[in-house]
Amino acid sequence: MLTEIVEDYDAMSIRAATLVAQQINEKPDAVIGFATGSTPVGVYHHLIRMHRDEGLDFSKLTCFNLDEYIGLTPQHTQSYHHFMWQNLFLHVNVDPRSVFIPMGMANDPEKFCDWYEQQIQASGGVDLQLLGIGGNGHLAFNEPGASLGSRTRVTALTQDTIDANARFFESSQEVPATAITMGIGTILESKCLVLMASGEKKAQAIKATLEGPVMVMMPASAIQLHANVHVIIDKGAASALEYDHHDGIAESIRTDAS
Ligand code: GLP
């Protein structure tokens, strides 16, 4: 697991955007998995800049998003559809027919989830998946307790997540209580994972993810099972780590001067 600790949010964003751009340049028809939340906003800002100033070409990509609230229309300002179009897709030359985001208004959400899994398989699988992390260690909307082999499905949100995401809504009562999410098993099938975190509010979840056991109570810890993971965190998010992570290893930090 390659862990990079960078100075701040902007450095994290530039680094992750650079990895995405490298993937796109190496394979113009790559399949990219995108994430929502406040963490990737800076990455999208830099990808838009790279498209505008450096000609980064999104036209042949296929894009899959991790999750969506159930009950919000794509037009709802807090839907992840709206988020992705406003923060990235409207500003780059992506082909709208190649953008897949779970449909929170699907008539039959269970059937939709099966269809979504089939679309990922049919695309050849995700080459690079961007990931944020919840303060409780959730990955996409895989909350503590989610099976590490789980697939795209309907899930309930924990009160912790509803409270954390209430900042984007008028009140916590307005936050949907359920969502569609790629499963942890689905995410682990991506060829490369890029997990990002910024700020001290993520420090305990990052410590548990990188240095704790793999367990359902810490869904993000499942990334330890993946062969190609890139973790990019800033100093705040790294502040609870007990080991020095470098070059794919973790060494105990020496406190003595000898
Ligand atoms: C949301 C999303 C996750 C995201 C997480 C962290 O609930 N479903 O995919 O990683 O919250 O959000 P933020 O980046 O705003 O801290």
Side-chain angles (χ1 to χ4, degrees):
M1 196 143 67
L2 280 177
T3 301
E4 282 184 63
I5 300 170
V6 297
E7 190 62 31
D8 55 17
Y9 178 80
D10 200 40
M12 178 201 77
S13 304
I14 291 172
R15 185 71 188 115
T18 303
L19 290 177
V20 175
Q22 275 170 0
Q23 172 69 76
I24 297 174
N25 286 328
E26 271 166 30
K27 186 179 175 188
D29 61 348
V31 181
I32 305 289
F34 290 101
T36 52
S38 48
T39 305
V41 171
V43 179
Y44 300 154
H45 171 82
H46 286 289
L47 287 175
I48 293 166
R49 178 184 55 71
M50 290 169 176
H51 169 67
R52 194 187 54 221
D53 300 343
E54 297 160 22
L56 184 65
D57 182 15
F58 288 71
S59 66
K60 296 189 185 66
L61 294 185
T62 303
C63 310
F64 283 96
N65 261 77
L66 286 169
D67 49 9
E68 177 61 288
Y69 293 109
I70 287 191
L72 300 192
T73 63
Q75 295 74 29
H76 191 289
T77 54
Q78 294 312 326
S79 74
Y80 288 164
H81 274 81
H82 188 264
F83 174 97
M84 285 310 302
W85 283 96
Q86 292 302 317
N87 285 288
L88 180 63
F89 296 145
L90 276 178
H91 311 286
V92 295
N93 62 337
V94 78
D95 179 350
R97 293 168 302 182
S98 301
V99 170
F100 295 85
I101 304 174
M103 188 55 73
M105 295 297 283
N107 286 331
D108 185 340
E110 313 285 347
K111 205 168 160 191
F112 177 87
C113 292
D114 292 344
W115 177 84
Y116 202 72
E117 284 275 335
Q118 284 161 16
Q119 297 313 301
I120 297 171
Q121 300 289 334
S123 75
V126 175
D127 289 300
L128 183 153
Q129 176 67 59
L130 285 174
L131 295 165
I133 182 171
N136 65 356
H138 74 215
L139 213 52
F141 271 136
N142 293 286
E143 298 280 32
S147 152
L148 301 186
S150 52
R151 312 301 307 184
T152 303
R153 68 196 186 290
V154 174
T155 182
L157 305 185
T158 60
Q159 194 59 46
D160 278 352
T161 296
I162 291 173
D163 293 344
N165 290 359
R167 67 191 193 277
F168 300 115
F169 292 80
E170 298 274 306
S171 71
S172 58
Q173 281 74 37
E174 287 187 25
V175 184
T178 54
I180 291 174
T181 185
M182 272 192 209
I184 296 175
T186 319
I187 292 168
L188 290 179
E189 282 172 10
S190 305
K191 292 167 193 116
C192 171
L193 302 178
V194 177
L195 178 79
M196 303 167 286
S198 171
E200 284 179 24
K201 62 186 182 304
K202 299 290 173 69
Q204 290 304 324
I206 285 295
K207 174 177 157 48
T209 296
L210 301 189
E211 298 180 347
V214 176
M215 56 178 183
V216 292
M217 292 311 290
M218 186 50 57
S221 66
I223 69 167
Q224 293 178 26
L225 299 169
H226 197 282
N228 187 9
V229 185
H230 215 113
V231 178
I232 308 169
I233 51 179
D234 69 8
K235 286 187 169 165
S239 58
L241 292 176
E242 285 179 27
Y243 290 79
D244 179 14
H245 295 254
H246 64 91
D247 304 319
I249 60 168
E251 268 190 299
S252 54
I253 297 169
R254 288 173 190 274
T255 46
D256 59 296
S258 57

